[in-house]
Amino acid sequence: MADKSIRISQRALGIKASGIRKFFELGLSMKNPIDLSIGQAHFDVPEEIKQAAIGAINEGRNRYTVTQGIPELRDALKARYAQRFGDISGCETMVTCGVSGGLMLTFLATLDPGDEILIPDPYFVMYRHLATMVGAKAVTYDIYPEFKPTAAAIRAKITDKTRLILVNSPSNPTGYALNEAEARELAALSDETGIPLVSDEIYEDFIYTERHVSPREFTDNCIVLSGASKSMGMPGWRMGWLLAPRDLVERMYSLQQFSYVCAPAPLQWAALKGLELDFAAHREEYRAKRDLVYEGLKDSYRIVKPGGAFYMFPYLPDGVDPERFLEACIKRELLVVPGGACSDRNTNFRLCYAATDEKLKRAVDMLNDIAGELR
Ligand code: PMP
C-alpha cells in the first residue's frame, strides 16, 4: 500500500508555532485569566466605521475590488502620506490584507533565497518566519538594553547579502518610539548603503512622545507599512496598506493578484471612513494605562518606559529564572509572553496593557508579588 500521508514541504517544516499563540490557547483553557499576552486594542470598532461597513455590504460592494484597492481609499492614503512626507510622486499606495499581507508582499517582492533581512532583536515574531517562508534569512541587530535601533548596531550586521533593513516604531514588543534624530540616523544609513528600509508603523496612532516620526520623512529609500488593525480596533477585518516606490508596488500588485486577490471589499470602504476619524481619545486612554502599569511595576522591575504602542518589555529581576517566573504567572492565571518568544534572549517579558484598568491593577499586584516571591 502506498504511503498516503501528505508530504510536508521544507518551507512549512521550517516554521515553528508562535510562542505567543501558545499563551493565547492556554488562556482559553483558564476560567478567569488576566490575559495580557495578545496584542490587540481592547476597544471595539467605532460605531461610524461599523455603519460604513454595513452600508457597503447593503449597497452591494461585495465583489472583488481591483487588486491594489479601491481608488477612494488609495487617494485618501496618498493625501495623508503626501502631507507627512512631502513629494511622494515616485511612490504608490496599495491596500493589503493587514500589515501581515503587506509584509508578505514586501518580502516576496524583494528577497531571493539566500538574501538577508536585518530585523531588530527583540522583534515582532512574524518577521523571522516570513523570511524563512521566502527562503531568506532574518539576521538580528541588537537593540538591548534601551531598545533604541542605532546605525552602529545595524551596520555591524550588514553583509553583501543584506537586502532590507526592517525598523518597527512604535515597537512590538518594546513600545520604543523613534525620535527625530534616531529616524534621521537610520535614513542616512539607508541612503549611504543603498539598502532600503522597511518601516512597520502599525502602532503609529498610539504615540506618547511629541509625535510619531517615520524614517520615510528623511529618505525615500523606504517602504512604509501601516493599517487599521490596531488604530481602528479591527484586527479581524484584515485591513492594511503600504507606500513604496512605484516600480516595486506594481510588482506587488501582481503578487497580490495571484494570491489574496484583494483586501475585503466592504471593509475597504469602512477603513476609508475610519481615516476621517480622530483617535486621540484612545491614545490618551492608553497613555494613562502605560503610566498606571509603569508606575506600578517600576520598583520591582527595570523597565524602559515605552513611548508608543501598547506593550511594555520589563526585565526580569536579576537572578530570576524565566521558567519559574512564567510558572508563577500561570499559577495566578496571569498571561504574559516570555521574552524568548520574540528575542534571541530570554531576559524579559512582554505585557500588553490594552486591558481594563481593573485588570491592569490586579496584574500589577500579582507581578509585584511574584518579584518578591522569586527574589
Ligand atoms: N506588525 C506588527 C509590529 C504587529 O504587532 C502586528 C500585529 N500584531 C502586525 C504587523 C500585523 O498586523 P495586521 O496584519 O493585523 O495588520
Side-chain angles (χ1 to χ4, degrees):
M1 262 257 285
D3 177 6
K4 285 207 183 130
S5 61
I6 297 176
R7 193 184 67 93
I8 295 172
S9 69
Q10 290 305 311
R11 182 182 306 107
L13 291 171
I15 312 281
K16 283 199 264 52
S18 159
I20 299 179
R21 280 273 140 191
K22 267 190 235 158
F23 277 84
F24 187 60
E25 276 149 28
L26 187 62
L28 294 178
S29 67
M30 290 179 174
K31 263 203 302 293
N32 189 20
I34 299 185
D35 188 353
L36 308 186
S37 71
I38 280 280
Q40 53 191 351
H42 78 305
F43 53 83
D44 197 10
V45 179
E47 193 53 35
E48 286 150 285
I49 302 181
K50 281 188 188 168
Q51 289 310 323
I54 293 164
I57 290 170
N58 286 335
E59 284 156 26
R61 299 190 195 273
N62 301 308
R63 307 183 145 229
Y64 298 125
T65 70
V66 282
T67 280
Q68 59 267 43
I70 56 171
E72 289 82 351
L73 178 55
R74 287 172 57 236
D75 286 347
L77 291 167
K78 263 187 242 172
R80 185 180 250 235
Y81 281 130
Q83 200 182 26
R84 279 177 56 198
F85 303 146
D87 180 14
I88 54 161
S89 55
C91 288
E92 252 319 326
T93 54
M94 161 168 196
V95 184
T96 58
C97 300
V99 172
S100 306
L103 284 164
M104 173 68 111
L105 294 173
T106 300
F107 283 37
L108 281 173
T110 58
L111 297 173
D112 280 320
D115 286 346
E116 294 177 359
I117 170 171
L118 297 182
I119 65 167
D121 179 19
Y123 46 79
F124 168 46
V125 281
M126 187 181 285
Y127 302 149
R128 193 182 262 300
H129 298 309
L130 275 182
T132 308
M133 264 188 236
V134 302
K137 188 172 165 203
V139 175
T140 53
Y141 59 89
D142 192 3
I143 56 171
Y144 287 93
E146 299 286 323
F147 309 134
K148 178 197 303 215
T150 64
I154 295 172
R155 201 186 291 278
K157 294 299 187 82
I158 292 177
T159 70
D160 56 2
K161 294 190 182 132
T162 310
R163 297 285 169 265
L164 294 173
I165 299 168
L166 194 144
V167 290
N168 171 216
S169 172
S171 148
N172 173 8
T174 68
Y176 194 85
L178 289 174
N179 65 29
E180 193 173 315
E182 290 157 358
R184 276 185 192 278
E185 185 181 298
L186 298 175
L189 177 71
S190 172
D191 284 342
E192 180 203 317
T193 58
I195 304 170
L197 299 175
V198 179
S199 184
D200 180 346
E201 305 182 10
I202 189 167
Y203 297 102
E204 62 184 305
D205 286 318
F206 299 96
I207 189 86
Y208 321 117
T209 56
E210 213 174 294
R211 68 178 185 94
H212 167 64
V213 186
S214 168
R216 178 62 179 78
E217 293 167 34
F218 313 110
T219 179
D220 50 15
N221 195 20
C222 182
I223 301 160
V224 179
L225 301 160
S226 193
S229 287
K230 313 290 172 175
S231 316
M232 301 183 196
M234 51 166 87
W237 286 18
R238 313 309 306 129
M239 289 301 308
W241 46 79
L242 58 81
L243 174 83
R246 181 167 294 110
D247 55 342
L248 175 64
V249 177
E250 283 172 359
R251 296 287 168 176
M252 296 190 197
Y253 294 166
S254 307
L255 291 165
Q256 180 153 276
Q257 176 79 65
F258 297 126
S259 52
Y260 305 103
V261 183
C262 63
L267 307 183
Q268 294 189 44
W269 292 98
L272 176 64
K273 181 74 199 170
L275 288 181
E276 292 169 14
L277 306 182
D278 177 22
F279 298 102
H282 287 152
R283 185 179 62 231
E284 291 318 307
E285 194 184 345
Y286 281 92
R287 182 203 300 276
K289 290 183 188 298
R290 173 201 63 167
D291 291 345
L292 185 161
V293 178
Y294 176 78
E295 291 302 324
L297 292 181
K298 73 178 186 340
D299 295 334
S300 311
Y301 297 86
R302 185 157 59 87
I303 306 173
V304 180
K305 192 172 183 180
F310 36 55
Y311 305 105
M312 216 170 269
F313 202 59
Y315 285 84
L316 294 174
D318 286 342
V320 167
D321 174 56
E323 290 290 323
R324 280 192 62 212
F325 172 79
L326 272 188
E327 279 163 20
C329 290
I330 291 168
K331 198 174 84 190
R332 290 166 173 83
E333 302 213 328
L334 169 65
L335 295 175
V336 296
V337 175
C342 37
S343 173
D344 297 344
R345 305 187 196 181
N346 199 10
T347 48
N348 297 60
F349 65 96
R350 186 191 81 171
L351 70 78
C352 170
Y353 52 82
T356 61
D357 286 1
E358 185 265 327
K359 282 197 172 167
L360 292 175
K361 283 180 193 155
R362 278 170 50 211
V364 163
D365 287 346
M366 288 176 184
L367 286 165
N368 283 328
D369 223 40
I370 292 170
E373 179 182 299
L374 296 184
R375 223 182 233 118

